[in-house]
């Protein structure tokens, strides 16, 4: 039975290590919990730890990808955004907590953190609390809905999941194409689509 919990760990890790909006890690957690009849709390703890580890790894390799494919000016712009978050740690933590409680993809948040070379200690604690809370709700609701597996598979391509995916892409676009230095310093929205080397 331990191998099913190992699948939860690997699934949640892989879902949250990718650098583009993907299905939320709780979907694989709910699916495996229902499929194998696993206990909710171990699935939650193992899945959240794997998810946080996946996001941490994402922040570690994002600078390598950004330096290779994104031009220097855009990288410096996103680093400026990260430096602003460091200036007021508590506001940054509250933002990360609120964001991770919402049903929005957290990939853009961690891409920005990775590109700005923001130390994980500024985002992981609040993300862990938000992720644990939101995944606990999702898993408990998933257990409640386990009698109706058809509705779960139908919802994988529902308007909500598609809208979440599109919204995640829009957020990533904002990270890449908004000139953050100009927006924060001069309060002027400026778009820059020339970000590749």
């Amino acid at each position: 039975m331990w191998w099913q919990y190992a699948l939860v760990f690997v699934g949640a890790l892989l879902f949250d290590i990718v650098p583009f909006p993907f299905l939320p890690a709780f979907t694989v957690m709910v699916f495996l919990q229902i499929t194998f009849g696993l206990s909710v709390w171990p699935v939650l703890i193992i899945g959240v730890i794997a998810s946080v580890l996946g996001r941490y790894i994402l922040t570690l390799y994002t600078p390598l990808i950004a330096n290779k494919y994104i031009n220097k000016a855009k990288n410096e712009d996103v680093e400026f955004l990260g430096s602003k978050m460091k200036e007021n740690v508590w506001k940054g933590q509250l933002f990360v907590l609120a964001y991770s409680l919402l049903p929005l993809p957290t990939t853009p948040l961690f891409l920005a953190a990775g590109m700005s070379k923001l130390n994980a200690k500024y985002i992981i604690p609040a993300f862990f609390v938000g992720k644990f809370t939101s995944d606990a709700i999702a898993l408990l609701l998933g257990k409640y809905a386990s009698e109706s597996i058809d509705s779960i598979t139908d919802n994988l391509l529902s308007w909500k999941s598609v809208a979440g995916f599109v919204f995640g892409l829009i957020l990533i676009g904002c990270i890449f194409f908004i000139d953050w230095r100009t927006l924060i310093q001069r309060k002027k929205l400026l778009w820059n689509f020339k970000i590749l080397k």
Side-chain angles (χ1 to χ4, degrees):
M1 185 134 143
W2 64 269
W3 65 270
Q4 291 127 338
Y5 291 105
L7 279 178
V8 170
F9 183 86
V10 171
L13 178 73
L14 292 177
F15 273 45
D16 275 353
I17 207 168
V18 296
F20 51 85
F22 196 60
L23 292 172
F26 76 80
T27 57
V28 74
M29 294 161 57
V30 169
F31 176 77
L32 293 171
Q33 187 271 323
I34 292 169
T35 301
F36 297 119
L38 301 174
S39 178
V40 170
W41 294 106
V43 168
L44 176 65
I45 292 166
I46 292 167
V48 168
I49 289 170
S51 182
V52 169
L53 180 61
R55 290 303 189 200
Y56 175 68
I57 293 169
L58 176 63
T59 63
L60 294 179
Y61 78 80
T62 298
L64 302 173
I65 294 172
N67 288 335
K68 185 171 183 175
Y69 297 107
I70 307 298
N71 68 35
K72 185 178 178 184
K74 177 43 68 179
N75 276 315
E76 289 174 354
D77 188 46
V78 177
E79 284 180 30
F80 174 76
L81 189 60
S83 70
K84 285 296 178 185
M85 188 171 171
K86 286 184 207 174
E87 286 178 9
N88 193 328
V89 176
W90 289 109
K91 278 186 184 177
Q93 291 282 328
L94 286 174
F95 172 77
V96 172
L97 176 63
Y99 189 91
S100 61
L101 285 170
L102 296 172
L104 300 172
T106 56
T107 305
L109 179 68
F110 282 88
L111 282 176
M115 284 180 67
S116 67
K117 298 175 183 80
L118 188 66
N119 191 318
K121 71 180 181 182
Y122 291 106
I123 55 174
I124 294 291
F127 174 70
F128 180 82
V129 172
K131 180 79 173 157
F132 190 88
T133 304
S134 61
D135 283 3
I137 293 167
L139 277 167
L140 292 171
L141 289 174
K143 184 177 180 188
Y144 177 75
S146 65
E147 295 85 35
S148 178
I149 192 75
D150 293 334
S151 69
I152 293 173
T153 55
D154 290 343
N155 286 331
L156 288 177
L157 292 176
S158 71
W159 71 269
K160 289 179 184 177
S161 63
V162 171
F165 176 76
V166 169
F167 188 69
L169 289 177
I170 290 169
L171 288 175
I172 289 173
C174 289
I175 290 168
F176 284 126
F177 302 124
I178 290 177
D179 184 337
W180 290 100
R181 188 178 305 260
T182 303
L183 182 64
I184 291 171
Q185 289 178 336
R186 292 191 250 157
K187 310 286 190 253
K188 181 180 177 186
L189 179 62
L190 184 65
W191 296 90
N192 180 8
F193 295 100
K194 295 180 182 178
I195 63 167
L196 297 177
K197 285 187 175 180

